[in-house]
């Protein structure tokens, strides 16, 4: 295994321990185009769940502030907030699997 394959795979695997920070650092530090390409892809894929999480958090806060019956029985788990959380979890899980598959492909 050469160093460029290792750094590229590490960019994808950083989803599990340093999401979006490590690929960004490696992207700016390295001069190898192969490593830059894969770390850019890893950065974008790892930034996507964070952006969705921020959007979900903002919509959750808006829902809590604007809904006068928020604390009613069963209101929190009914509707779009619960569905949004499930969608966010599924997308994050899918991106985690995608990053793992990409790391394995780079190492081959």
């Amino acid at each position: 295994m050469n160093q460029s394959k290792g750094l590229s795979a590490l960019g994808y695997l950083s989803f599990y321990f340093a999401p979006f920070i490590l690929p960004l650092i490696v992207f700016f530090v390295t001069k190898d185009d192969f490593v830059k390409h894969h770390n850019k892809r890893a950065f974008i894929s790892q930034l996507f769940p964070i952006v969705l999480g921020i959007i979900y958090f903002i919509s959750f806060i808006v829902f809590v502030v604007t809904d006068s019956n928020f604390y009613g029985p069963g209101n929190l788990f009914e509707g779009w907030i619960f569905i949004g959380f499930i969608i966010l979890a599924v997308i994050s899980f899918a991106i985690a699997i995608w990053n793992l598959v990409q790391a394995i492909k780079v190492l081959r």
Side-chain angles (χ1 to χ4, degrees), residues 4 12 16 24 26 38 43 45 56 63 66 76 82:
S4 61
Y12 289 115
Y16 301 101
L24 187 65
V26 172
H38 284 286
F43 173 75
S45 72
Y56 172 78
F63 178 75
T66 59
L76 177 62
F82 183 67

Side-chain angles (χ1 to χ4, degrees), residues 17-76:
F17 60 89
F20 86 88
I21 295 171
L22 184 65
L24 187 65
I25 292 170
V26 172
F27 179 80
F28 286 116
V29 170
T30 190
K31 293 180 171 94
D32 187 359
D33 289 335
F34 181 78
V35 176
K36 279 186 178 268
H37 169 73
H38 284 286
N39 277 282
K40 181 172 70 171
R41 289 180 69 201
F43 173 75
I44 292 169
S45 72
Q46 294 170 13
L47 192 63
F48 191 67
I50 292 170
V51 170
L52 287 179
I54 291 170
I55 292 169
Y56 172 78
F57 179 73
I58 290 170
S59 64
F60 180 78
I61 296 300
V62 167
F63 178 75
V64 169
V65 169
T66 59
D67 190 9
S68 61
N69 295 327
F70 179 74
Y71 295 107
N75 197 14
L76 177 62

